[in-house]
Amino acid sequence: MSKLSIKQWAEEDRPREKLLLKGVSVLSDSELLAILIGSGNDKQSAVELAQHILSKAGNDLNKLARMSVSDLVNNFHGIGKAKAVTVFAALELGRRRKAVETPRRKKITSSRIAYEYFFPLISDLNHEETWALLTDRSNKVLSTIQVSRGGISGTVVDIRLILREALGQYASGIILGHNHPSGQCRPSPQDTLLTKKLKEAAQWMDISLLDHIIVCGDSYFSFADEGII
């Protein structure tokens, strides 16, 4: 039996038509991805190909975002550079939208809000980066700075750089954040040592280390919540 193309499906089942008839919120991730890639291959419809791609990413959009253009082109029949670029452009727009929305919440009142600041910056990266939020006495964010950029398994953080920026902006608080590309959210001994050193050094300058957030895609670890700080 020959494969039915999406054009042969009932109109209400085709992703584009379904979106127009019922709204974008009713579409599954695979249907949204199918709209982006446009067509499938000689064995799979666009939706089936999209399902295959998502399956290889563990049905996790964060893992999909960590793939490269060459990953899609080389591993999925029917995905060329143009389709792959379209997918990653859409994912990047989503990340930027999140980044624009987050700063509206100026005051950090919980680890969750701190995590939401860091999420669009580092959640999709295949390497580790460390960032810091500098806050005033009301825990309102003064600025967000990149502290380090490293490899897959680690990065070197210069505590002096963080404190120099904090002093220059008359900050009263620091919230450190970095990602674990592995998805393992437990802090390493190096993470714990860095937290301890930064806290002690900042105290000499009457600056508080409020938290250290480890971002692992849709989850996070808070040193403050765990009582480590």
Side-chain angles (χ1 to χ4, degrees):
M1 183 179 292
S2 60
K3 174 178 68 69
L4 287 177
S5 69
I6 288 180
K7 291 181 180 179
Q8 295 173 291
W9 293 7
E11 186 170 296
E12 63 270 19
D13 291 332
R14 302 176 205 164
R16 289 190 184 91
E17 287 76 5
K18 187 175 179 180
L19 185 153
L20 294 171
L21 288 170
K22 300 180 181 179
V24 69
S25 62
V26 304
L27 271 66
S28 66
D29 289 348
S30 59
E31 289 172 325
L32 291 170
L33 183 57
I35 290 175
L36 292 174
I37 64 179
S39 60
N41 53 44
D42 56 353
K43 295 182 179 180
Q44 297 170 303
S45 68
V47 172
E48 290 169 334
L49 178 55
Q51 290 171 337
H52 183 204
I53 293 170
L54 287 172
S55 175
K56 292 297 183 181
N59 292 308
D60 185 336
L61 293 177
N62 291 310
K63 290 183 180 179
L64 176 61
R66 294 189 193 108
M67 291 184 179
S68 65
V69 169
S70 60
D71 287 334
L72 289 185
V73 172
N74 294 333
N75 294 309
F76 300 100
H77 178 50
I79 299 294
K81 286 185 179 180
K83 290 182 180 180
V85 166
T86 299
V87 170
F88 288 111
L91 290 168
E92 177 63 12
L93 280 173
R95 187 196 69 79
R96 293 186 186 188
R97 179 187 176 190
K98 184 74 173 178
V100 168
E101 291 175 345
T102 299
R104 294 174 187 166
R105 285 176 276 188
K106 296 288 185 180
K107 192 171 184 178
I108 305 294
T109 57
S110 68
S111 63
R112 181 73 192 186
I113 294 178
Y115 159 74
E116 289 173 355
Y117 263 87
F118 291 124
F119 180 86
L121 298 172
I122 55 180
S123 65
D124 293 338
L125 302 179
N126 286 316
H127 60 273
E128 280 199 17
E129 287 188 6
T130 304
W131 290 68
L133 302 178
L134 304 181
T135 67
D136 64 13
R137 291 192 180 278
S138 299
N139 288 349
K140 290 183 178 179
V141 176
L142 297 170
S143 67
T144 306
I145 60 171
Q146 184 179 28
V147 176
S148 70
R149 186 179 191 275
I152 294 174
S153 59
T155 180
V156 177
V157 175
D158 190 336
I159 291 175
R160 296 168 299 180
L161 172 64
I162 302 172
L163 295 178
R164 184 185 70 186
E165 292 291 332
L167 289 169
Q169 298 187 44
Y170 300 99
S172 295
I174 300 169
I175 300 174
L176 203 63
H178 78 280
N179 62 313
H180 278 182
S182 66
Q184 170 56 254
C185 252
R186 299 299 301 180
S188 67
Q190 292 80 6
D191 295 335
T192 302
L193 180 60
L194 169 64
T195 305
K196 180 181 178 181
K197 284 185 174 180
L198 179 55
K199 179 182 178 180
E200 292 175 351
Q203 283 177 333
W204 284 100
M205 300 175 186
D206 198 26
I207 299 172
S208 299
L209 178 61
L210 302 173
D211 205 346
H212 183 174
I213 303 291
I214 301 175
V215 176
C216 309
D218 288 333
S219 61
Y220 69 95
F221 180 94
S222 164
F223 278 70
D225 289 353
E226 297 296 325
I228 301 176
I229 290 181

